[in-house]
């Protein structure tokens, strides 16, 4: 009879959230290549955001790196009302390190013509593509969560037409460009102050909102099919 392996909690470092969390496993190696899903709604002033991170184990330490960020439909639906128009888009782009898919979401303050919506969509796309080229993956996730990416984009589009909402609905990493990652210190995300190491309340909240799943191997598909699948979801 095989001896049952006793499971225990292993610590996972999440640099993006300036926090650490724990997961139950038989060994720390079991966490490698698994995904960690977190609901950040409580920490972003009511903005409903799901963050998916990939766990990598190296030298006996587990670290979670951001992989996909999603603004939930419930938040978007709450912000929509009569007398406004919304503009959405989905397109592939590149950061300093990866090929990505990004979906901006804009809401105007009043009804606008199709020509204005088209201009907003094209201007946002051009600005975002240029912006992503100058940033690492980690920096972009940080900027989206802290609003540092949306603010300058909103100011740019304000010259075309004032916006009520300027958000990134989905940002997802696809393929690595094989570029060596840069180590750079970035400011803390706004909700970091809630994670006080002297209390267990926030740590318990994070643990409750964590869902760890095994990452399944992706089926081989062309780049075009991959992008089209994302557009269909949007």
């Amino acid at each position: 009879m095989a001896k049952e392996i006793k499971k225990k909690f292993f610590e996972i470092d999440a640099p993006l959230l300036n926090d650490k969390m724990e997961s139950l496993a038989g060994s720390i190696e079991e966490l490698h290549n698994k995904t960690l899903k977190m609901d950040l709604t409580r920490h972003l002033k009511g903005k409903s955001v799901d963050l998916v991170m990939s766990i990598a184990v190296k030298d006996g330490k587990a670290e979670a790196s951001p992989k996909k960020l999603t603004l939930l439909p419930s938040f978007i639906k709450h912000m929509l009302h009569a007398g406004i128009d919304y503009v959405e888009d989905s397109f592939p782009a590149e950061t300093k390190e990866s090929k990505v898919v990004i979906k901006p979401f804009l809401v105007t303050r009043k009804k606008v013509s199709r020509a204005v919506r088209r201009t907003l969509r094209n201007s946002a796309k051009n600005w975002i593509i240029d912006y992503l080229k100058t940033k690492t993956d980690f920096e972009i996730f940080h900027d989206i969560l802290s609003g540092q990416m949306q603010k300058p984009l909103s100011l740019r589009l304000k010259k075309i037409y004032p916006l009520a909402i300027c958000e990134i609905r989905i940002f997802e990493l696809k393929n690595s460009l094989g570029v060596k990652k840069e180590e750079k210190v970035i400011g803390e995300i706004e909700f970091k102050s809630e994670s006080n190491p002297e209390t267990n309340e926030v740590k318990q909240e994070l643990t409750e909102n964590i869902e760890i799943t095994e990452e399944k191997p992706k089926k081989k598909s062309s780049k075009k099919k991959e992008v089209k699948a994302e557009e269909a979801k949007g």
Side-chain angles (χ1 to χ4, degrees):
M1 184 176 178
K3 187 178 179 181
E4 185 179 350
I5 299 176
K6 187 176 181 180
K7 293 187 177 183
K8 62 179 181 178
F9 283 97
F10 292 95
E11 190 176 79
I12 303 172
D13 187 23
L16 179 66
L17 305 179
N18 298 292
D19 208 343
K20 296 180 184 294
M21 51 207 69
E22 294 181 337
S23 177
L24 191 65
S27 66
I28 195 167
E29 285 73 21
E30 287 183 11
L31 298 176
H32 189 63
N33 285 338
K34 289 190 176 182
T35 58
L36 180 153
K37 185 177 181 180
M38 292 186 63
D39 181 358
L40 303 181
T41 304
R42 296 183 182 182
H43 308 282
L44 295 174
K45 298 182 179 180
K47 185 190 293 186
S48 301
V49 173
D50 268 358
L51 179 66
V52 176
M53 295 187 282
S54 178
I55 303 173
V57 177
K58 186 177 181 181
D59 299 329
K61 294 182 180 180
E63 182 174 299
S65 302
K67 183 178 179 181
K68 182 179 180 180
L69 180 150
T70 305
L71 187 64
L72 298 182
S74 57
F75 174 78
I76 295 174
K77 186 177 179 181
H78 179 70
M79 305 305 291
L80 297 178
H81 57 83
I84 57 93
D85 269 323
Y86 66 90
V87 178
E88 57 183 343
D89 199 0
S90 175
F91 52 89
E94 291 185 1
T95 68
K96 281 186 174 181
E97 301 169 343
S98 306
K99 293 182 179 180
V100 304
V101 169
I102 187 165
K103 300 183 180 183
F105 186 82
L106 316 172
V107 177
T108 60
R109 293 183 180 179
K110 294 182 180 180
K111 288 281 186 179
V112 296
S113 66
R114 183 179 298 178
V116 172
R117 295 199 300 270
R118 183 172 59 249
T119 304
L120 285 170
R121 183 182 295 108
N122 293 338
S123 297
K125 180 178 180 179
N126 293 335
W127 187 92
I128 290 172
I129 288 176
D130 291 339
Y131 181 88
L132 297 185
K133 289 179 181 178
T134 66
K135 301 282 185 175
T136 63
D137 299 343
F138 185 92
E139 289 173 329
I140 295 165
F141 276 106
H142 176 275
D143 288 354
I144 294 174
L145 287 176
S146 62
Q148 294 179 27
M149 177 178 175
Q150 297 91 314
K151 187 175 180 180
L153 175 58
S154 179
L155 291 174
R156 171 71 175 271
L157 299 178
K158 185 179 180 181
K159 298 177 182 178
I160 301 171
Y161 194 89
L163 299 177
I165 298 175
C166 178
E167 285 292 345
I168 303 300
R169 188 164 66 85
I170 291 177
F171 178 73
E172 181 178 10
L173 304 184
K174 287 298 182 181
N175 301 311
S176 173
L177 294 175
V179 180
K180 187 178 180 181
K181 292 185 178 181
E182 298 179 4
E183 294 184 1
K184 187 174 181 179
V185 178
I186 301 180
E188 298 174 355
I189 295 175
E190 190 173 348
F191 62 74
K192 193 246 180 181
S193 58
E194 296 183 13
S195 302
N196 189 334
E198 297 178 358
T199 66
N200 294 322
E201 295 180 1
V202 175
K203 193 170 185 179
Q204 184 177 357
E205 287 182 6
L206 286 172
T207 305
E208 290 173 353
N209 291 325
I210 292 175
E211 178 184 341
I212 294 189
T213 57
E214 187 170 358
E215 191 171 30
K216 297 179 180 180
K218 295 183 179 179
K219 295 181 179 180
K220 292 184 179 180
S221 61
S222 66
K223 178 181 175 183
K224 291 184 178 179
K225 289 183 179 178
E226 197 170 320
V227 174
K228 287 182 179 178
E230 284 298 325
E231 291 176 348
K233 292 181 182 179

